[in-house]
Every structure is written in C-alpha cells, then in structure tokens.
C-alpha cells in the first residue's frame, strides 16, 4: 500500500503545473552582506540578459545600473543562500538560488517599461491560438491544451488573445500555408497566430506497474502539445516547441484533459517567454510601406531609414510604392518617429499594426 501511495503521489505531482523560473549565481564582497547583495544584483542582471538585447543593455548601462540593479532585492520573490565562504585574501563569495519575477505585470517589467528599456506596446499584440487535439483516434471537443495556452497568455498580461476552438477546421495546423495563415489572421483580426496539434493517450491503471499487478481504479494519461508561433504579415516564425503532460483521474477522459491542460500550460509559458523577448529590444521584422510621387521621394525616406536602423532591404518598388523589410528593436510607431526625425520631408502616417507601418512622403 505504501508503494501504491508513492506512485499515486508521483503521478499527481506530474499532473500539477510547474514552473517557477530561477537562476543560480554568485557574488563577491568585502563582507558576507556585500557579497549577498552582489549575488542578488547578478540574479537580476542574468534575467535582463534574456529579456533585453545586449545593444540596449550597453546603451542604457548607467540608467539600468542606477534604477534597476540598485533595487535588485525588490525584483526577487525569494532566494536561498546555497554557499558562503571566505577566500584567503579576505573576499567573501556567496552563491544563491533566486526567483526573479519577470511577469509582464511585475515590478521589474513595469520599471523597464517606465524607463523606456522595454516598449509595452510590443508586449501586447493580438494573438489567436488554434491547437485542436485528439485522444487516441477520437477527437476531443473543447480543447484543453488550447485553453491552457490561452490561460497562460492571459495570466501573463497579454490581454488580446482569441481561442479559436471549433471556428476553424484545418487538417494539419502545423503545415498551414502562408495563405491559410493570412486568411485566419484576417478572420480573427490578429497580428500573431499560435497553431499546433495535441494528442493524449491512456496508459492504464496507475498501479499496474506495482508488484502483484495491483489495481487502484485511477486511470493515468500522457499528452503532448506541439505548436508554432508566427508573426502573420511577415511570415516570421518566432518560436516552436513541444511539451509533455500527465493526468490522473478515475475517468480516462478526465485524465486526458488534465494531461493536455498540463502540457498546454507549459506550452503557453514557453510562448510567453518568447513574446517577452520579442517585445524587449530584440530585433523583429517590420514591413515598411512607403508611398511617394516618384523615387526621389522614396529615396529621402530610405536615407532617413539608413540612419535609424541597422539592417533593412527594399523588397519591391512599383508605381511610387516601395516595400522595405526592416530589422528593428522598437515598435512601428517609434520607427516612424525615428524616420521622421531623420528627414525634413513631409511624412504622413497612413496606417500601423503590430509589425507593419505605412507612410506617405510628399
């Protein structure tokens, strides 16, 4: 019976969602307290290295140092001191394991947004999630994995999220064409599509692997969710992964839902992390459309663009309409402002979306 309870406990732990993010870092100082404070700062610095691109960190070093690193303790939810020791030269080293709160609504993210290190507008695009699922050979209504992905996005602060569910029917979402993706994005009015597939499978009675072929009456299931994240207008795939989950219940159908929900939750948390990276200084592809009476007008915008961004190319030009593919770390709005400040041409902002900017030059 004891072994049986251990098995059940392990399965229930598998079915529970995880997943506090943490870092293990060390700091040095003349005293234990100074070394511990340095370790806390290094924990936050380590997290910023993931959230913010290196160029932005270098350009804003003094601002980040004075406004963020000096307040490191306030951005850490909890930490444990793993080791303390004093070297022969008298310097103390302290190693900690720390949880740094990088939720979009956290104090750290709010401060980075306030300081202009992260642009909040890039962190809340319109997103549609389409992840149909199956249990063995049977289709499951009201997808649990898809719902869990949506829940993770909403809890992280992404408020413009649509759960597609049965409103679409694509045989293999992971192989959707560009035309299908664009049609879906237009149908739901979104900038980003998360598409994928999920399946679950019953693995039998939870106690069947115990000596004596015992029976508990509790059914165990395993599930996998696979999905990709696309910026629709550019066709840029930002992320792709697959996650596993486990579920336990007296009903196999309910156990499968629990397993799918767990895998979906992990998938959602993964996409949250990728979206935060996308909106925190890492360069993304923006389509810039410029209308001008002739190419000399377009060229004035191109010259201003060259001084505003590090990488771009003109993908097409026809009849006074030029299209540029731009690698840029800010929003379309900030790109327009950068171009505007780099030329004395008369520019009009015609339209703007998550990763597309249309302007007219006169």
């Amino acid at each position: 019976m004891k072994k049986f309870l251990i098995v059940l406990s392990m399965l229930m732990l598998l079915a529970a969602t995880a997943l506090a993010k943490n870092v293990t870092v060390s700091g040095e100082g003349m005293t234990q307290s100074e070394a511990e404070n340095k370790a806390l700062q290094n924990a936050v610095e380590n997290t910023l290295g993931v959230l913010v691109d290196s160029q932005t960190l270098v350009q804003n070093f003094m601002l980040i140092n004075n406004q963020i690193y000096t307040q490191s303790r306030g951005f850490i939810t909890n930490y444990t001191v793993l080791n303390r020791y004093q070297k022969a030269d008298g310097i103390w080293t302290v190693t900690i394991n720390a949880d740094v709160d990088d939720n979009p609504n956290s104090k750290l993210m709010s401060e980075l947004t306030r300081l202009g290190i992260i642009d909040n507008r890039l962190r809340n695009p319109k997103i549609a999630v389409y992840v149909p699922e199956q249990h063995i050979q049977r289709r499951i209504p009201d997808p649990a994995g898809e719902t869990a992905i949506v829940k993770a996005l909403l809890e992280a602060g992404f408020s413009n999220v649509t759960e597609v569910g049965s409103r679409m029917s694509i045989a293999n979402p992971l192989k959707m064409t560009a035309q299908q993706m664009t049609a879906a994005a237009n149908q739901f009015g979104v900038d980003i599509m998360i598409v994928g597939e999920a399946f679950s499978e019953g693995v039998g009675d939870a106690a069947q692997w115990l000596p004596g072929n015992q029976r508990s009456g509790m059914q165990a299931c395993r599930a996998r969710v696979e999905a990709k994240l696309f910026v629709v207008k550019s066709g840029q795939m930002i992320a792709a992964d697959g996650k596993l989950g486990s579920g336990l219940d007296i009903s196999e159908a309910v156990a499968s839902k629990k397993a799918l929900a767990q895998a979906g939750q992990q998938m959602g948390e993964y996409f949250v992390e990728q979206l935060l990276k996308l909106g925190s200084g890492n360069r993304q592809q923006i389509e810039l459309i410029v209308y001008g009476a002739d190419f000399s007008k377009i060229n004035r915008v191109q010259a201003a663009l060259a001084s505003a961004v590090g990488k771009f190319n003109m993908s097409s030009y026809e009849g006074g309409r030029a299209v540029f593919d731009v690698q840029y770390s800010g929003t379309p709005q900030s790109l327009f402002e950068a171009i505007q400040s780099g030329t004395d041409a008369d520019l009009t902002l015609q339209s703007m979306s998550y990763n597309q900017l249309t302007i007219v030059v006169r």
Side-chain angles (χ1 to χ4, degrees), residues 21 51 102-105 109 118-129 149-163 191-192 194 229 268-280 354:
K21 297 176 184 176
L51 294 172
D102 61 353
N103 182 288
N105 298 316
M109 299 301 278
I118 288 178
D119 195 318
N120 188 54
R121 288 169 294 185
L122 267 183
R123 287 167 44 218
N124 195 21
K126 297 176 181 178
I127 306 169
V129 182
I149 293 173
V150 170
K151 180 181 177 184
L153 292 168
L154 291 173
E155 288 179 345
F158 295 97
S159 59
N160 300 314
V161 185
T162 299
E163 183 175 358
D191 308 299
I192 282 177
I194 293 175
L229 186 152
E269 290 171 350
Y270 166 75
F271 284 136
V272 165
E273 182 179 351
Q274 302 307 309
L275 285 166
L276 289 177
K277 290 179 182 178
L278 181 66
S280 61
Y354 177 68

Side-chain angles (χ1 to χ4, degrees), residues 23 40-52 57 64 67-77 99-120 123 276 280:
V23 294
L40 293 171
Q41 176 180 317
N42 289 341
V44 173
E45 186 173 353
N46 182 288
T47 301
L48 289 193
V50 175
L51 294 172
V52 183
L57 288 174
I64 293 173
Q67 299 293 325
I68 300 297
Y69 294 153
T70 58
Q71 304 179 51
S72 293
R73 190 179 294 268
F75 305 132
I76 294 174
T77 56
D99 294 324
V100 183
D101 188 359
D102 61 353
N103 182 288
N105 298 316
S106 67
K107 181 180 177 182
L108 173 61
M109 299 301 278
S110 296
E111 281 297 291
L112 291 172
T113 300
R114 181 182 68 82
L115 296 172
I117 307 301
I118 288 178
D119 195 318
N120 188 54
R123 287 167 44 218
L276 289 177
S280 61

Side-chain angles (χ1 to χ4, degrees), residues 88-106:
D89 59 2
I91 299 295
W92 281 92
T93 298
V94 174
T95 301
I96 65 171
N97 180 264
D99 294 324
V100 183
D101 188 359
D102 61 353
N103 182 288
N105 298 316
S106 67

Side-chain angles (χ1 to χ4, degrees), residues 214-345:
Q214 300 183 43
R215 289 292 179 265
S216 67
M218 300 293 288
Q219 299 299 309
C221 287
R222 293 284 284 164
R224 179 172 175 83
V225 174
E226 299 179 0
K228 299 178 180 180
L229 186 152
F230 291 88
V231 176
V232 178
K233 287 187 183 297
S234 66
Q236 183 182 12
M237 185 171 71
I238 302 301
D241 206 348
K243 301 294 183 182
L244 297 173
S246 301
L248 183 68
D249 197 87
I250 58 173
S251 163
E252 183 178 308
V254 175
S256 71
K257 286 288 188 181
K258 290 181 178 180
L260 288 161
Q262 187 201 40
Q265 175 71 20
Q266 295 178 55
M267 196 80 252
E269 290 171 350
Y270 166 75
F271 284 136
V272 165
E273 182 179 351
Q274 302 307 309
L275 285 166
L276 289 177
K277 290 179 182 178
L278 181 66
S280 61
N282 292 307
R283 293 179 179 270
Q284 69 152 331
Q285 184 171 309
I286 294 178
E287 183 181 66
L288 170 64
I289 301 172
V290 183
Y291 289 94
D294 52 52
F295 191 77
S296 65
K297 300 288 187 182
I298 303 292
N299 195 46
R300 296 179 69 179
V301 174
Q302 185 170 346
L305 183 63
S307 63
V309 303
K311 184 178 180 181
F312 73 94
N313 70 281
M314 181 185 293
S315 60
S316 67
Y317 174 78
E318 183 179 358
R321 180 182 184 271
V323 179
F324 297 90
D325 296 323
V326 182
Q327 295 295 316
Y328 189 61
S329 60
T331 64
Q333 174 68 39
S334 63
L335 177 59
F336 174 72
E337 292 168 355
I339 295 171
Q340 194 173 42
S341 65
T343 180
D344 58 1

